[in-house]
Amino acid sequence: MAAPGFQSSAGAAAQPAVDLDTLIRSVLFIAVFLAVWISFHPFKDLAVPPPAVTEGGDLANQIGFSAIFLILAAWTWCNEPRRLMLLLRPALMATIVWFAFSVLTSWEPSLAARRVAFMLVIMSISAMVLLLPKNLRHFSDMLAAVVLIVLAACYLGVLLVPQLAVHQVTDFLEPEHAGNWRGVFEHKNEAGANMVLFIFVGLFVARTRSFPLGAVIVALSSVFLAFTQSKTAIGLLVPVLIMSHVIAGSRRPFIGILLVVAVLAVFNLFTVGTVVFPPIRNLIESIMPDATFTGRTEIWEFGLAHVTAHPILGYGFSAFWGTPEVVYGMSEHSIWANNAEHAHNSYLNLAITVGIPGLALVVLWGVVLPILDFYHLPHDAPSRPLQILFLRACLFGLLASCLESVIFQELAEGSFLFLTGVLGLRYLSVTDVRV
């Protein structure tokens, strides 16, 4: 019997090479990832002052992803919608319920409600997209095609319209990044994070489909990553590869969970912890030229103060940064921290917005359970390469979250693939995927 989501290779062989069903699945899959990576407004002119932050959010994203959600929902309804039930688990349901509860207690309930709704749309898309591939080969082919399209767009942007694909001294914000490549993305850090994810995709393609094709993806992504000069992305590439290798080589879930939790604890101790523990701050100041992590310490100090004010309920899901109460109502604090878009640390961001219990639920669902899911299958499972790709996407998102807000932060750097990784590991643990 064919596995839910990924069909068996035997079933695929009985069909024509490109039938209507395969075409529809491929178009939907590619459309989703192009929307995520190229977005609905690529090559932004950063010399133009950004529009004022409004409660309405990004209208193009809302309309575009809502349309994708409806199309995918219609397709899923016609293709055994019960398969989505496999991704529901008590930890996820409890997390969503807690997010909804945070809306009721938020000082901006309408804003928090809209952002929870959009988060559920994005999460649903990342879940439904897993149902589209017919088998592992189909998944690999489609993902390689999308990544090559995005890489081509990025390189063509740098060559043909560098003023829109490379940071310039005329950028309204952060002109100090002049010369750093960003391609179709809005910021060099976003470009860097996605190039790291593309390297993981290239390694996956090399193992499952074609070594030369995978090597091309890795090479193109690595060169572009170097020119982004994104320190966070470059710095996390090797640690993620090492951690994934250790976890994949171990047969004990306890070791994998302990490794991830320990690394996250150390990363957060030497980032956010610098504003809490003076000895740690002194150590960082002695070994780093910029111990403020490009101004993040001021934001972390500001955020921690507000965690202690509302430690249980928080301020409402994604309803703290950018709100009038913070931007205009806390004038005693620095303008830089008041006007930050997020905490530049997902764990702190979650503690502020949904409280410490909400953060604990997210850690359970997004850190502990994915590692357990990874160990659910034997080492020689046909889906092993895909497992490792999802694992690396999760690990990168978790580590990047120590310096950026990735987890449940709409479409931040790597956030969509992080969600897909978490849900993908769950899906692989309860289905039988064939090559």
Side-chain angles (χ1 to χ4, degrees):
M1 185 174 74
F6 292 91
Q7 296 180 352
S8 67
S9 56
Q15 301 296 326
V18 182
D19 54 54
L20 181 60
D21 178 55
T22 302
L23 180 61
I24 293 174
R25 290 170 181 264
S26 301
V27 169
L28 289 176
F29 185 97
I30 292 173
V32 168
F33 280 95
L34 286 181
V36 169
W37 281 325
I38 293 186
S39 82
F40 295 101
H41 32 60
F43 299 117
K44 276 190 174 181
D45 185 357
L46 300 186
V48 178
V53 176
T54 64
E55 289 190 0
D58 190 315
L59 186 60
N61 274 344
Q62 291 172 355
I63 294 175
F65 283 102
S66 295
I68 289 175
F69 167 78
L70 292 175
I71 294 171
L72 278 179
W75 181 90
T76 303
W77 181 260
C78 299
N79 291 268
E80 299 181 71
R82 62 181 177 81
R83 292 178 295 172
L84 285 179
M85 299 299 293
L86 296 170
L87 300 178
L88 295 180
R89 59 199 320 172
L92 176 58
M93 299 305 298
T95 301
I96 294 174
V97 169
W98 187 265
F99 287 176
F101 183 68
S102 78
V103 171
L104 300 178
T105 60
S106 173
W107 61 8
E108 292 279 355
S110 61
L111 174 63
R114 285 195 296 272
R115 290 183 171 172
V116 165
F118 188 66
M119 179 273 294
L120 291 175
V121 166
I122 297 300
M123 178 180 286
S124 298
I125 291 173
S126 66
M128 290 186 288
V129 79
L130 294 170
L131 309 181
L132 294 171
K134 303 188 74 170
N135 48 55
L136 196 61
R137 179 188 178 110
H138 187 210
F139 184 93
S140 180
D141 288 347
M142 292 189 296
L143 201 56
V146 176
V147 168
L148 287 172
I149 291 171
V150 177
L151 285 171
C154 287
Y155 276 101
L156 287 173
V158 171
L159 292 174
L160 302 179
V161 284
Q163 70 276 14
L164 300 178
V166 180
H167 283 286
Q168 307 289 319
V169 293
T170 55
D171 288 359
F172 185 79
L173 300 174
E174 301 179 304
E176 64 272 16
H177 296 325
N180 296 342
W181 291 10
R182 60 184 179 92
V184 298
F185 304 99
E186 187 173 352
H187 195 275
K188 73 179 185 76
N189 289 342
E190 185 180 354
N194 283 293
M195 291 302 145
V196 170
L197 295 172
F198 292 172
I199 290 174
F200 299 155
V201 171
L203 294 173
F204 166 72
V205 172
R207 185 172 176 182
T208 60
R209 188 66 178 92
S210 165
F211 181 83
L213 180 61
V216 168
I217 292 174
V218 170
L220 291 174
S221 303
S222 299
V223 171
F224 205 98
L225 171 63
F227 280 99
T228 67
Q229 296 188 37
S230 175
K231 295 186 290 292
T232 299
I234 294 172
L236 292 181
L237 174 59
V238 173
V240 169
L241 291 175
I242 293 174
M243 289 177 66
S244 65
H245 178 74
V246 172
I247 293 172
S250 170
R251 296 181 180 275
R252 297 183 179 182
F254 174 75
I255 294 178
I257 294 173
L258 181 62
L259 173 64
V260 174
V261 172
V263 170
L264 289 177
V266 170
F267 268 59
N268 279 293
L269 178 63
F270 283 91
T271 52
V272 176
T274 59
V275 304
V276 179
F277 305 106
I280 300 296
R281 181 174 60 251
N282 295 337
L283 175 62
I284 294 297
E285 288 176 346
S286 67
I287 61 177
M288 287 182 59
D290 179 15
T292 70
F293 297 93
T294 59
R296 288 175 173 85
T297 52
E298 194 173 334
I299 298 174
W300 295 336
E301 186 173 3
F302 179 73
L304 285 170
H306 288 85
V307 170
T308 58
H310 292 77
I312 305 300
L313 301 177
Y315 292 84
F317 181 85
S318 198
F320 181 78
W321 306 100
T323 60
E325 291 86 350
V326 173
V327 176
Y328 305 111
M330 300 178 179
S331 57
E332 71 275 12
H333 297 282
S334 70
I335 295 177
W336 164 236
N338 281 29
N339 287 276
E341 295 182 357
H342 49 79
H344 287 278
N345 180 288
S346 289
Y347 311 101
L348 176 58
N349 210 61
L350 288 165
I352 294 170
T353 56
V354 296
I356 295 175
L359 170 61
L361 287 170
V362 172
V363 169
L364 173 62
W365 177 76
V367 179
V368 177
L369 292 181
I371 303 301
L372 291 176
D373 289 334
F374 180 83
Y375 283 101
H376 190 268
L377 294 178
H379 277 51
D380 58 351
S383 62
R384 190 66 168 180
L386 186 55
Q387 269 191 300
I388 293 176
L389 172 63
F390 287 152
L391 175 66
R392 287 169 175 166
C394 288
L395 292 175
F396 180 78
L398 293 173
L399 295 184
S401 290
C402 298
L403 288 168
E404 298 293 344
S405 293
V406 175
I407 304 173
F408 292 120
Q409 186 66 19
E410 294 186 355
L411 294 171
E413 296 95 313
S415 60
F416 182 82
L417 207 57
F418 168 77
L419 285 175
T420 306
V422 172
L423 295 171
L425 285 173
R426 167 62 176 172
Y427 199 79
L428 293 177
S429 72
V430 294
T431 59
D432 179 23
V433 176
R434 307 290 176 84
V435 178

